[in-house]
């Protein structure tokens, strides 16, 4: 079985050939591209197909696993994304059938998985989540992605809209919070967490913001960890790369609450979703 893993975001696509063999994973012929998803359906499908075709190379009988953000009818590969500007032209279209036609393969050889589920599945199969039966996967970036794993079942947790403090989780956990807090508290214009690590940035402000963020993350995770009897957390996304600066505050909060658990940063990076997107073929 020749597998192709695909990770599609609002403006980006990554594709590679994936070999899965008893928790051994090999990813090769990696290709990626920025894609303007504000255009018409035909140009979006054509741009995606082109990158998939490059990664596919000379392989003939391929199965393609695609990690895609929601809302989506994943079973039928139909897009339900309509109010985000991006991918609006694909609303209610069978992306599965359109891609199958464009790539000249049967639609039955394409499966779709929620991107947060694909991340946690990939990390649980061959990365930072291997040792956990029950876990929570969180991707930290512009948005807040979340998935839960209970034994062999991984599900999108949709926690970004969960009520938290004076709003919802995504208000406090993600790039937006760093930008708003820096502006409100210190009257500083930043584009995200990475700006706090630039040489010359006031280390006092940087450590205060990271400590505040880390505590919020711990507060947010705590009730779900308890409810799921989770043994650990796996973090992905761009903000996870700065974990050394805020995770001490997260772990300290959880320890104070009597639920200290390992918090592992992704080992597979952008490969985790590519691997996770291919795993449904193993179970068929």
């Amino acid at each position: 079985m020749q597998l192709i893993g695909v990770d599609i975001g609002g403006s980006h696509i990554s594709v590679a050939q994936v070999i899965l063999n008893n928790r051994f994973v090999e990813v090769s012929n990696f290709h990626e591209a920025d894609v303007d998803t504000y255009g018409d359906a035909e140009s979006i499908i054509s741009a995606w197909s082109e990158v998939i075709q490059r990664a596919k190379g000379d392989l003939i009988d391929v199965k393609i696993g695609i990690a895609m953000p929601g809302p989506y009818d994943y079973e039928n590969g139909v897009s339900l994304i309509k109010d985000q500007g991006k991918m609006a032209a694909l609303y209610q279209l069978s992306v599965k059938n359109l891609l199958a036609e464009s790539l000249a393969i049967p639609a039955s050889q394409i499966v779709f998985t929620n991107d947060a589920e694909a991340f946690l599945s990939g990390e649980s199969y061959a990365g930072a989540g291997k040792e956990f039966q029950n876990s929570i996967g969180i991707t930290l970036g512009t948005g807040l992605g979340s998935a839960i794993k209970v034994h062999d079942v991984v599900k999108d947790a949709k926690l970004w809209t969960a009520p938290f403090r004076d709003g919802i989780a995504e208000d406090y956990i993600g790039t937006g919070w760093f930008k708003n807090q820096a502006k409100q508290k210190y009257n500083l214009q930043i584009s995200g967490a990475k700006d706090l690590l630039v040489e010359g940035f006031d280390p006092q402000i940087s450590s205060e913001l990271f400590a505040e963020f880390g505590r919020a993350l711990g507060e947010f995770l705590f009730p779900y960890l308890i409810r799921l009897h989770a043994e650990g957390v796996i973090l992905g996304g761009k903000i996870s790369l700065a974990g050394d600066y805020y995770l001490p505050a997260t772990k300290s909060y959880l320890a104070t609450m009597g639920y200290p658990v390992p918090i592992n940063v992704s080992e597979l990076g952008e490969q985790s979703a590519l691997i996770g997107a291919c795993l449904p073929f193993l179970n068929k």
Side-chain angles (χ1 to χ4, degrees):
M1 188 164 45
Q2 313 271 16
L3 298 175
I4 304 287
V6 182
D7 183 18
I8 291 177
S11 55
H12 193 78
I13 179 171
S14 314
V15 190
Q17 295 178 16
V18 176
I19 293 171
L20 303 174
N21 186 1
N22 197 21
R23 301 206 180 257
F24 165 79
V25 171
E26 195 180 319
V27 174
S28 62
N29 207 27
F30 179 85
H31 290 269
E32 61 183 335
D34 291 325
V35 176
D36 174 14
T37 56
Y38 288 91
D40 59 89
E42 198 179 324
S43 57
I44 298 170
I45 295 293
S46 162
W48 287 345
S49 298
E50 195 185 311
V51 187
I52 294 170
Q53 201 63 57
R54 285 209 304 268
K56 177 175 165 284
D58 299 331
L59 298 181
I60 293 163
D61 185 24
V62 296
K63 288 187 163 56
I64 298 174
I66 300 175
M68 182 78 86
Y72 236 78
D73 172 353
Y74 290 100
E75 181 103 358
N76 298 303
V78 173
S79 176
L80 302 175
I81 299 169
K82 63 170 177 174
D83 298 324
Q84 302 170 23
K86 298 169 180 176
M87 305 192 209
L90 297 171
Y91 179 60
Q92 289 194 322
L93 295 183
S94 172
V95 175
K96 178 190 265 201
N97 290 343
L98 291 170
L99 279 174
E101 194 183 325
S102 177
L103 295 162
I105 65 169
S108 59
Q109 287 175 216
I110 300 177
V111 297
F112 285 78
T113 303
N114 171 271
D115 56 351
E117 287 179 23
F119 162 74
L120 183 54
S121 296
E123 290 292 340
S124 300
Y125 182 79
K130 278 192 301 210
E131 76 234 52
F132 307 134
Q133 285 272 16
N134 294 3
S135 60
I136 297 178
I138 299 285
T139 53
L140 300 168
T142 314
L144 170 68
S146 57
I148 56 173
K149 175 178 178 283
V150 178
H151 297 288
D152 293 330
V153 179
V154 177
K155 286 276 172 233
D156 175 18
K158 299 185 178 74
L159 295 178
W160 68 278
T161 57
F164 184 63
R165 291 186 179 171
D166 295 329
I168 60 170
E170 201 169 75
D171 297 338
Y172 294 89
I173 299 155
T175 299
W177 179 85
F178 281 102
K179 288 162 78 166
N180 295 340
Q181 199 68 353
K183 183 81 185 112
Q184 282 170 20
K185 218 170 167 183
Y186 306 102
N187 201 25
L188 290 171
Q189 210 85 42
I190 63 169
S191 64
K194 65 180 187 301
D195 289 1
L196 307 186
L197 302 173
V198 171
E199 201 177 329
F201 192 91
D202 186 329
Q204 179 65 31
I205 293 176
S206 168
S207 67
E208 280 174 22
L209 285 170
F210 275 128
E212 222 177 307
F213 178 80
R215 185 193 159 91
L217 180 60
E219 243 178 79
F220 161 70
L221 285 170
F222 175 65
Y224 301 105
L225 290 168
I226 292 275
R227 205 175 303 164
L228 288 162
H229 304 292
E231 299 149 20
V233 178
I234 298 99
L235 289 187
K238 293 276 191 285
I239 298 174
S240 71
L241 303 176
D244 288 351
Y245 298 90
Y246 60 82
L247 284 179
T250 309
K251 290 173 178 173
S252 163
Y253 176 83
L254 293 174
T256 305
M257 298 303 285
Y259 204 92
V261 291
I263 301 177
N264 298 345
V265 173
S266 161
E267 287 174 12
L268 302 169
E270 58 193 0
Q271 293 184 4
S272 55
L274 300 177
I275 293 162
C278 290
L279 286 170
F281 291 116
L282 284 193
N283 306 325
K284 287 193 172 184

